[in-house]
């Protein structure tokens, strides 16, 4: 996440090393130290402060056979020491000083097979075969590696020729296994990961596609790799499994990256469910969990980078919970700050053009995840669903009556929304949500509702510097959210309330000391701005009514000519009120200085995009605007409710053509 509403842009990325892109590990205690590699074991230490890179690739000792590195060699930082690295060729290497020096802690862990004696397409190929051994890793090396986060020195290594080697004493002794239940001999060990919950548990995935076998293979051992059992469950065939991860809270929640996307299980591997959410059916070649944020992070074979933000609701999913009509999941604490771009305040890419890369940030605010077992249907949708079932059964459904069709035509579509309340139970926001079945996510932007005049349609073609209407930023503290529905005008709760916290990041240099006072002022300004904006719309509508009256008078033969003067006078009064409220357009048009209008002063007092206290200028603007607006509002109300209404009543008695703002008068006449 970045603070910029543009998202994560070009300037947020930096190169650590060249190459095709491989494992990168970051020191968890010193994020300025980054380890990166390129093909065939090229390993460097990158210093973010200086930008310098140091070659730390292990080199052969005198008398050693040449090291056989995979195209994508495995490298990890020990969970027990942030300065300890493990790196593997056909042997395993350990460094306790950030790669400055290395020790070899294993012999050759592979089967040491001569690749030229392996059959390719049914026979051993000639040394002169086209592209013989080109663009491939030298066969017989380590490709998977992990250390138990619970037991220091308990290491697991997987090879490209189907071996899993284990040491429980940091490499002093090793044991290997070459045959695994249900897995063909010599199958590539695509992944190995030690459990974060149990010292004796480890998971492994196997990839046999080079032999034309596309089956999924996931195994689990509960005795440190001595015996294994399959937990592939019901993952479909042809879903090659490349990697596995275990949730750090719920030991039964596992994720599997496959050839066509990601699967998860909540029962340790009996039943697997594919995660979609916009993820295309692509090969997930790498996967990790960002534990602080509970994010699932994916790397794809197409060099794509995907993040599932806060998957923690999956921990509480169960068959029983999904059988309920609705469900709300725990809400992650929401970070309170003001988004600020570096593009002259513009949103998105601003004026940078399409070549300016920008990936989306996670949703801002409090993200609420909820579940509906069934869609909240309209009468028409319910009828059509029933008709489909009848047709499917080979029968003819009952034809709807006119009354039923009329009820469908006049029905207001059912709604689902989130109701946000303070800890004291005060409703401060209702946020529109989906009424469809399934799991949904909706974000509250941590703001009061906008009090600008209501619009039935969203504005279109806004300039890039425009901001959508919003209210003041809510205070830090505890809140609740309830999922509610509205059907036929009746609002009722679906599920909740669920509590959550709004946490301030405290990024501002001049942050307000008294947040309550700032909120009180902001809400006071918001109420003034609501009234000012509403008065502007009312004034505009009154001008439209007067314009129609002027035209109607010409078509009313019995009208007193003096009424035209009344219309003219009303029009002039409205013009003067508009100048006071909105500003003098004539002065502006001719590039003359324009006195501050009430609307402009009220706008000066509005500033929902800072966490500092209001300036004295803003407080003064509110005071002056309040005083002037009170006088104007009385004059406008008198003009509309008394003078304009009186004139419209007299026009109605003269049988003038209808004009906006009045209801025609009529009664039956005798024949």
């Amino acid at each position: 996440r970045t603070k910029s509403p543009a998202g994560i842009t070009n300037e947020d990325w930096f190169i650590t090393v060249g190459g095709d892109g491989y494992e990168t590990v970051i020191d968890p205690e010193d994020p300025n130290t980054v380890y990166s590699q390129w093909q065939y074991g090229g390993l460097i230490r990158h210093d973010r402060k200086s930008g310098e890179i140091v070659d730390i690739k292990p080199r052969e000792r005198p008398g050693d056979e040449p090291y056989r590195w995979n195209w994508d060699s495995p490298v990890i930082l020990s969970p027990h020491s942030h300065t300890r690295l493990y790196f593997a060729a056909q042997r395993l290497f350990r460094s306790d000083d950030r790669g400055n020096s290395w020790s070899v802690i294993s012999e050759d862990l592979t089967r040491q097979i001569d690749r030229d004696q392996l059959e390719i397409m049914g026979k051993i190929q000639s040394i002169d075969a086209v592209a013989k051994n080109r663009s491939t890793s030298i066969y017989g090396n380590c490709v998977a590696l992990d250390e138990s986060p619970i037991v220091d020195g308990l290491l697991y290594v997987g090879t490209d020729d189907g071996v899993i080697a284990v040491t429980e004493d940091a490499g002093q002794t090793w044991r290997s296994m070459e045959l695994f239940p249900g897995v063909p001999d010599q199958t590539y060990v695509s992944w190995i990961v030690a459990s974060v919950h149990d010292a004796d548990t480890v998971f492994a995935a196997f990839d046999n596609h080079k032999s034309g076998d596309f089956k999924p293979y996931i195994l689990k051992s509960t005795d440190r790799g001595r015996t294994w059992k399959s937990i592939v469950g019901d993952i479909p065939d042809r879903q090659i499994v490349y990697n596995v991860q275990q949730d750090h809270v719920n030991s039964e929640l596992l994720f599997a990256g496959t050839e066509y996307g990601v699967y998860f299980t909540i029962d340790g591997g009996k039943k697997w469910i594919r995660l979609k959410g916009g993820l295309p059916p692509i090969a997930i070649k790498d996967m990790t969990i960002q534990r602080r944020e509970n994010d699932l992070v994916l790397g794809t074979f197409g060099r794509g980078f995907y993040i599932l933000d806060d998957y923690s609701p999956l921990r509480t999913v169960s068959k029983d919970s999904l059988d309920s009509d609705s469900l709300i999941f725990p809400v992650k604490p929401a970070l309170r700050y003001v988004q600020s771009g570096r593009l002259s305040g513009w949103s998105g890419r601003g004026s940078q053009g399409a070549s300016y890369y920008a990936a989306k940030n996670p949703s801002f605010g409090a993200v609420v995840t909820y579940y509906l077992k069934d869609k909240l249907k309209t009468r028409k949708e319910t009828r059509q669903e029933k008709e489909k079932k009848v047709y499917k059964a080979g029968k003819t459904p009952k034809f709807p009556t006119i009354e039923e069709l009329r009820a469908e035509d006049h029905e207001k579509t059912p709604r689902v929304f989130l109701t946000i309340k303070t800890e004291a139970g005060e409703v401060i926001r209702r946020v529109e949500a989906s009424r469809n079945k399934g799991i949904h996510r909706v974000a509250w932007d941590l703001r009061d509702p906008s009090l600008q005049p209501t619009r039935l349609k969203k504005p279109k073609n806004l300039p890039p510097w425009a901001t959508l209407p919003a209210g003041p930023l809510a205070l830090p503290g505890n809140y609740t959210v309830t999922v509610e529905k509205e059907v036929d005008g009746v609002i009722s709760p679906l599920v909740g309330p669920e509590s959550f916290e709004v946490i301030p990041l405290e990024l501002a240099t001049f942050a307000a000391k008294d947040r309550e006072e700032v909120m009180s002022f902001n809400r006071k300004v918001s109420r003034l701005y609501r009234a000012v904006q509403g008065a502007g719309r009312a004034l505009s509508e009154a001008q439209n009514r007067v314009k129609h009256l002027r035209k109607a008078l010409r078509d009313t033969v019995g009208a007193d000519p003096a009424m035209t003067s009344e219309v003219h006078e009303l029009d002039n009064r409205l013009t003067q009120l508009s100048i006071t409220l909105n500003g003098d357009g004539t002065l502006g048009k001719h590039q003359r200085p324009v006195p501050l209008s009430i609307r402009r002063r009220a706008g000066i007092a509005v500033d929902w995009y800072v966490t500092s206290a209001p300036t004295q200028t803003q407080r003064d603007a509110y005071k002056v605007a309040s005083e002037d607006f009170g006088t104007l509002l009385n004059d406008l109300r008198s003009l509309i409710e008394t003078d304009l209404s009186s004139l419209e009543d007299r026009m109605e008695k003269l049988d003038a053509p209808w004009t906006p703002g009045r209801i025609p008068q009529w009664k039956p006449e005798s024949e």
Side-chain angles (χ1 to χ4, degrees), residues 20 27 31 136 149 173 231 281 338 365 481 533 563 619 629 669:
D20 284 353
D27 189 321
T136 64
T173 58
I231 57 167
V338 176
V481 57
Q533 295 278 75
M563 296 176 74
R619 296 182 188 275
F629 182 64
E669 300 179 37

Side-chain angles (χ1 to χ4, degrees), residues 278-501:
L279 180 70
I282 50 179
I284 307 302
K285 298 305 290 285
D286 205 350
M287 178 167 59
T288 192
I289 290 172
Q290 214 288 356
R291 295 182 187 177
R292 185 193 66 204
E293 302 296 330
N294 298 307
D295 290 347
L296 184 67
V297 185
L298 312 176
T300 77
F301 187 63
R303 305 189 188 189
F305 187 63
Y306 290 83
I307 301 175
L308 173 61
D309 299 311
D310 187 18
Y311 68 78
S312 61
L314 295 178
R315 294 175 184 147
T316 58
V317 168
S318 66
K319 186 178 185 304
D320 290 341
S321 66
L322 295 180
D323 283 339
S324 59
D325 291 335
S326 54
L327 184 66
I328 189 169
F329 296 95
V331 180
K332 182 178 177 180
L335 302 180
R336 179 186 186 266
Y337 61 96
V338 176
Q339 291 181 298
S340 57
R342 289 171 283 195
L343 301 173
S344 302
W346 290 10
S347 61
R349 293 186 175 95
S351 59
Q352 300 301 304
S355 63
Y356 187 76
Y357 175 79
K360 289 182 179 180
N361 277 326
S363 298
F364 176 84
V367 179
V368 179
T369 307
Y370 68 97
Y371 164 78
L372 297 179
K373 183 179 180 181
D374 296 301
K375 181 180 180 180
L376 200 61
K377 303 182 186 71
T378 62
R379 289 179 173 84
K380 183 176 182 179
E381 289 167 340
T382 301
R383 171 180 58 80
Q384 290 175 335
E385 188 176 275
K386 290 179 179 178
E387 288 177 346
K388 284 181 181 178
K389 292 179 180 178
V390 174
Y391 280 124
K392 193 173 182 179
K395 300 178 181 179
T396 301
K398 172 182 168 291
F399 202 82
T401 66
I402 287 296
E403 288 75 16
E404 290 171 335
L405 293 174
R406 185 177 293 113
E408 291 180 4
D409 290 342
H410 295 285
E411 181 185 19
K412 297 295 184 288
T413 302
R415 295 191 306 154
V416 171
F417 50 87
L418 311 178
T419 298
I420 312 295
K421 295 181 182 180
T422 64
E423 194 172 23
E426 175 193 3
V427 176
I428 62 169
R429 190 69 183 272
R430 287 191 174 92
V431 182
E432 290 279 352
S434 173
R435 63 186 177 95
N436 292 323
K437 67 180 294 186
I439 296 177
H440 305 282
R441 274 192 162 160
V442 181
W444 169 46
D445 62 3
L446 308 186
R447 292 184 177 275
D448 284 3
S450 167
L451 294 183
Q452 290 197 13
T454 298
R455 294 177 180 270
L456 297 180
K457 295 182 180 180
K458 292 182 179 180
K460 295 181 179 179
N461 302 320
L462 290 174
W465 55 83
T467 56
L468 293 176
L473 198 61
L475 291 171
N478 296 315
Y479 293 82
T480 65
V481 57
T482 303
V483 182
E484 298 184 330
K485 65 177 179 179
E486 179 189 333
V487 179
D488 292 335
V490 177
I491 295 176
S492 57
L494 279 171
V495 64
E498 180 71 27
S499 299
F500 65 95
E501 187 178 5

Side-chain angles (χ1 to χ4, degrees), residues 13 81 99 237 263 274 296 366 442:
W13 292 90
S81 171
D237 285 344
Y263 286 78
R274 185 178 163 201
L296 184 67
V442 181

Side-chain angles (χ1 to χ4, degrees), residues 155-172:
L155 293 155
Y156 300 93
V157 180
T159 72
D160 62 350
D161 54 9
V163 174
I164 290 182
V166 185
T167 177
E168 300 184 45
D169 51 16
Q172 296 181 47

Side-chain angles (χ1 to χ4, degrees), residues 174-314:
W174 289 86
R175 51 186 164 79
S176 296
M177 187 170 187
E178 297 183 356
L179 296 175
F180 303 90
V183 180
D185 189 24
Q186 298 184 31
T187 297
Y188 188 105
V189 183
S190 58
W191 197 265
I192 196 161
V193 59
S195 170
V196 296
H197 297 278
D198 178 60
D200 298 331
T201 298
V202 61
F203 303 90
F206 297 79
D207 169 14
N208 199 36
H209 82 272
K210 290 182 180 179
S211 296
D213 174 14
F214 303 104
K215 291 180 180 178
Y217 300 105
I218 309 175
L219 300 187
K220 175 182 178 180
S221 171
T222 56
D223 54 8
R224 302 191 181 187
R226 292 179 175 85
T227 60
W228 298 81
K229 68 174 183 178
S230 174
I231 57 167
V232 75
D234 57 355
I235 293 180
D237 285 344
R238 303 184 66 81
Q239 288 279 7
I240 307 164
V241 177
Y242 297 115
N243 39 65
V244 181
Q245 287 289 355
Q246 182 185 42
D247 179 44
H248 51 286
V249 175
N250 181 353
S251 63
E252 295 294 287
L253 174 57
L254 306 174
F255 299 93
T258 77
E259 178 70 16
Y260 297 108
V262 176
Y263 286 78
F264 78 96
T265 177
I266 56 176
D267 57 13
K270 298 182 184 68
K271 180 174 178 56
W272 293 83
I273 302 167
R274 185 178 163 201
L275 276 172
K276 296 181 181 178
L279 180 70
I282 50 179
I284 307 302
K285 298 305 290 285
D286 205 350
M287 178 167 59
T288 192
I289 290 172
Q290 214 288 356
R291 295 182 187 177
R292 185 193 66 204
E293 302 296 330
N294 298 307
D295 290 347
L296 184 67
V297 185
L298 312 176
T300 77
F301 187 63
R303 305 189 188 189
F305 187 63
Y306 290 83
I307 301 175
L308 173 61
D309 299 311
D310 187 18
Y311 68 78
S312 61
L314 295 178

